[in-house]
Amino acid sequence: MKVVIIGGGAGGASCASRLRRLNEQAEIVILEKTNEISIANCGLPYYCGNVIADRDELMVSSPALFEKNFNIKVCLNSEVVKIDPESKSVTTLNGEEIAFDKLVIATGSKPFVPPLDGLDNMPHFTIRHLADADAVKAYINEHHPKTASVIGGGFIGVEMAENLIKAGLNVNLIELAPQVLAPLDADMVNLIHKELKNKGINLYLNTNILNIKKGKLILSSNDKIESDMLILALGVRPETKIVSAAGIETLPTGAIRTNEFMQTNFADIYACGDNVAVKDFIGGAETTIALAGPANRQGRLIADHIFGKPYPYTGSQGSGVVQVFGLTAAFTGNNERQLIKKNIPYKKMLIWGKSHAGYYPNAKPLALKVIYNAEGKILGAQAIGAEGVDKRIDIIATIMRLNGTYKDLRDAELCYAPPYSSAKDPINLIGMAIQNVEENRLKPYFGADFQNMYVVDVRSPAMHEAGHLPNAVNIPLAQLRSRLKEIPHDKPVLLHCMIGYNSYLASCILNQNGFDNVFSYAGGFSQYKAQKD
């Protein structure tokens, strides 16, 4: 059997190596249009910022290694320009025709470059291949620019902004949307905005570049900012221009449509990676998710299917994590905007915890949000903090994959020692908080309008004096039972503390003393402060 793989990135390389492990006799050929194979693309921003100093560290493999260890032929600079499903062959740019028994399309994606007026008037770069990062580093080393501007606040945009700061440049980050990092909800992302600004990045939100003139970016906000170079980080599009002409089904976005075994509408032609449409794990809609983890798993799945060991691809959750200077943001599943767009009803809970036991030195604050449905099934989660963020979202992502509910968060038996966690981990705490909501012991409040509410700060007078919700009356928790008469029955009562726990205790007291319209501010004053610029 001869298997031809178009593309030597995460999906293609993963498929090729798995094919060989399953079968020593198969002929396996990788056709890669660039002169790179198995490059650690996700490390490119850190290479630009000299966090990864050695270029060779980004070269995960090489044609020689594939040949020596796997007996796989890798053809670099071999661009496929035609796929013929009937004759089962592909044609390269130099006219070579290569037959296949099975074909795997792992062409990945390409950066989106907008039709920006005056773009050629400024040195500009995309970040997709190692050669792109080389070009950025070469320009910085040779021309010594003072200011760089990054268009786009996604993963690459935020990571490039941070690493250009580390490379010694002044940095502007320009984003058309109201926020960076679209997978985060508005009630979480402001922590990231603050961190970017505090580290010296000039952040322009709700802003577009109208044109470029004489070294200046003319923005839709009427700002004119000087810049010596431009990084285009506006997302990617599926690299599938050769696919439609072959009669392979695609979505309007260009993403290749496959079945659960990653087969196209031609049974002997598969596709994997950034160029395919996948089933969203939440709701099942077709979508594209450009992440290395799913691409690797899809490549392995294809290899198993080719050699008679089939199992289905059950969808992508979109789990991701990103470093933003001293913070980490992680997420899985859908956020509120996505669920609203899909008309999927949901509930939510947000708490503030700590990265490890509070009594052990250097515990760091951690914001954790879980979105779930009426049956308690988890639809998504987000977390932000300095430590311990990734492991919390990894736990939730795993529970989601097993179709778990908030009860599984509550009951999760997790490792505990003071340097690493608490006896009640934030995972457990948010599960317990959701249980309290579902059993009507707690009414969380997420809003920003307090005018028609009687707001009570149940912390100490000293903490109250240091800052509190607008118009809050200070009644410390220990005094609450003796001061019930001060609290009105004829308007909503909003309780707040620092992170939401003591306000929950106060809710229990009021609820059991005849108050029936009591709310607790979700996340406490910590969450309120996080929303303020």
Side-chain angles (χ1 to χ4, degrees):
M1 178 184 290
K2 183 174 183 179
V3 183
V4 173
I5 300 171
I6 308 175
S14 175
C15 182
S17 57
R18 177 65 171 174
L19 284 167
R20 177 57 73 222
R21 291 194 297 272
L22 293 175
N23 190 292
E24 267 294 309
Q25 285 70 48
E27 182 181 357
I28 305 168
V29 179
I30 298 176
L31 303 175
E32 168 56 48
K33 67 181 287 187
T34 72
N35 65 346
E36 305 171 1
I37 186 171
S38 280
I39 296 300
N41 305 77
C42 297
L44 296 179
Y46 304 99
Y47 175 57
C48 291
N50 298 314
V51 176
I52 299 173
D54 187 350
R55 184 182 190 274
D56 290 343
E57 292 294 329
L58 296 172
M59 302 175 73
V60 179
S61 189
S62 67
L65 189 63
F66 269 94
E67 175 67 31
K68 180 180 178 180
N69 288 357
F70 296 102
N71 190 26
I72 292 172
K73 182 179 180 181
V74 177
C75 303
L76 299 180
N77 301 304
S78 295
E79 181 178 358
V80 174
V81 294
K82 181 182 177 182
I83 299 172
D84 189 337
E86 300 303 325
S87 67
K88 298 180 74 170
S89 67
V90 299
T91 304
T92 64
L93 185 61
N94 64 8
E96 183 181 4
E97 188 173 306
I98 302 170
F100 63 82
D101 295 303
K102 304 287 184 180
L103 177 68
V104 180
I105 305 171
T107 46
S109 58
K110 58 183 177 181
F112 173 65
V113 178
L116 183 58
D117 185 24
L119 183 60
D120 290 338
N121 296 332
M122 181 174 291
H124 57 277
F125 308 86
T126 57
I127 305 296
R128 186 62 178 168
H129 301 288
L130 186 51
D132 300 327
D134 286 336
V136 170
K137 288 175 69 74
Y139 185 82
I140 292 173
N141 292 334
E142 294 171 14
H143 297 274
H144 308 290
K146 295 181 179 179
T147 301
S149 296
V150 180
I151 310 178
F155 283 100
I156 296 298
V158 168
E159 289 170 348
M160 281 301 299
E162 174 179 347
N163 281 281
L164 288 170
I165 287 279
K166 291 178 178 177
L169 282 75
N170 298 315
V171 178
N172 306 307
L173 179 56
I174 303 161
E175 170 56 52
L176 181 60
Q179 66 170 74
V180 301
L181 298 178
L184 296 176
D185 280 317
D187 57 1
M188 297 289 283
V189 76
N190 207 47
L191 288 163
I192 300 300
H193 293 165
K194 285 184 174 183
E195 183 73 359
L196 292 170
K197 294 174 184 177
N198 289 341
K199 293 301 190 292
I201 289 177
N202 304 309
L203 185 59
Y204 296 86
L205 301 174
N206 292 301
T207 305
N208 192 21
I209 297 179
L210 300 179
N211 54 58
I212 302 172
K213 294 181 179 179
K214 297 180 180 179
K216 289 187 177 181
L217 307 178
I218 314 301
L219 307 183
S220 58
S221 59
N222 295 320
D223 291 297
K224 298 180 180 179
I225 57 176
E226 294 186 358
S227 187
D228 300 311
M229 61 184 294
L230 195 61
I231 303 294
L232 303 174
L234 292 149
V236 295
R237 303 292 186 270
E239 181 71 275
T240 56
K241 64 181 179 180
I242 61 172
V243 169
S244 296
I248 297 171
E249 291 182 6
T250 61
L251 301 184
T253 60
I256 302 169
R257 176 172 277 149
T258 64
N259 65 11
E260 60 187 345
F261 302 112
M262 310 310 297
Q263 291 171 293
T264 69
N265 52 308
F266 295 95
D268 291 325
I269 300 179
Y270 299 77
C272 63
D274 296 359
N275 60 1
V276 301
V278 296
K279 182 174 71 173
D280 185 352
F281 191 75
I282 307 299
E286 287 183 310
T287 186
T288 52
I289 296 179
L291 292 170
N296 274 285
R297 294 196 303 278
Q298 291 160 11
R300 178 187 174 91
L301 181 155
I302 289 170
D304 280 28
H305 190 270
I306 286 174
F307 285 121
K309 302 178 182 296
Y311 61 93
Y313 189 74
T314 55
S316 292
Q317 292 168 242
S319 302
V321 63
V322 59
Q323 175 182 290
V324 187
F325 293 100
L327 290 180
T328 298
F331 36 82
T332 188
N334 283 189
N335 59 30
E336 291 191 58
R337 292 188 306 278
Q338 290 171 309
L339 294 169
I340 291 170
K341 187 176 181 180
K342 297 174 184 177
N343 294 313
I344 297 177
Y346 67 90
K347 301 180 181 183
K348 62 182 177 179
M349 192 59 199
L350 188 154
I351 68 167
W352 277 70
K354 291 188 179 296
S355 57
H356 58 249
Y359 60 82
Y360 189 86
N362 301 316
K364 302 294 195 306
L366 184 150
L368 178 61
K369 177 178 181 178
V370 169
I371 306 172
Y372 62 102
N373 66 13
E375 290 73 42
K377 185 177 179 179
I378 303 167
L379 304 177
Q382 302 161 38
I384 299 177
E387 292 179 1
V389 169
D390 53 338
K391 77 172 182 178
R392 269 69 187 213
I393 293 300
D394 280 343
I395 291 166
I396 297 176
T398 302
I399 290 173
M400 283 179 63
R401 179 61 64 170
L402 299 173
N403 293 309
T405 71
Y406 71 85
K407 295 177 182 178
D408 296 296
L409 302 180
R410 177 197 65 192
D411 298 338
E413 186 173 337
L414 307 173
C415 297
Y416 161 59
Y420 302 102
S421 185
S422 301
K424 291 180 181 177
D425 189 87
I427 292 289
N428 303 128
L429 291 176
I430 200 163
M432 294 172 183
I434 294 172
Q435 178 188 6
N436 291 332
V437 173
E438 294 304 299
E439 294 179 355
N440 297 315
R441 285 193 297 275
L442 175 67
K443 293 180 182 177
Y445 185 72
F446 302 95
D449 183 3
F450 313 112
Q451 290 187 349
N452 298 316
M453 309 181 87
Y454 188 79
V455 184
V456 180
D457 180 357
V458 300
R459 299 172 300 160
S460 68
M463 295 182 73
H464 178 77
E465 287 298 319
H468 52 79
L469 264 61
N471 303 317
V473 175
N474 185 214
I475 305 179
L477 179 64
Q479 302 176 18
L480 186 61
R481 291 180 179 87
S482 63
R483 296 175 63 179
L484 292 177
K485 292 182 180 179
E486 299 178 30
I487 302 174
H489 284 264
D490 59 351
K491 64 191 311 184
V493 177
L494 177 63
L495 304 165
H496 92 80
C497 59
M498 198 66 194
I499 61 173
Y501 177 65
N502 283 339
S503 61
Y504 162 61
L505 299 180
S507 294
C508 293
I509 294 171
L510 294 187
N511 287 335
Q512 295 178 53
N513 279 277
F515 293 85
D516 58 7
N517 203 11
V518 178
F519 297 85
S520 173
Y521 191 79
F525 191 61
S526 296
Q527 177 64 13
Y528 178 78
K529 287 195 302 180
Q531 303 310 305
K532 298 301 175 184
D533 293 324

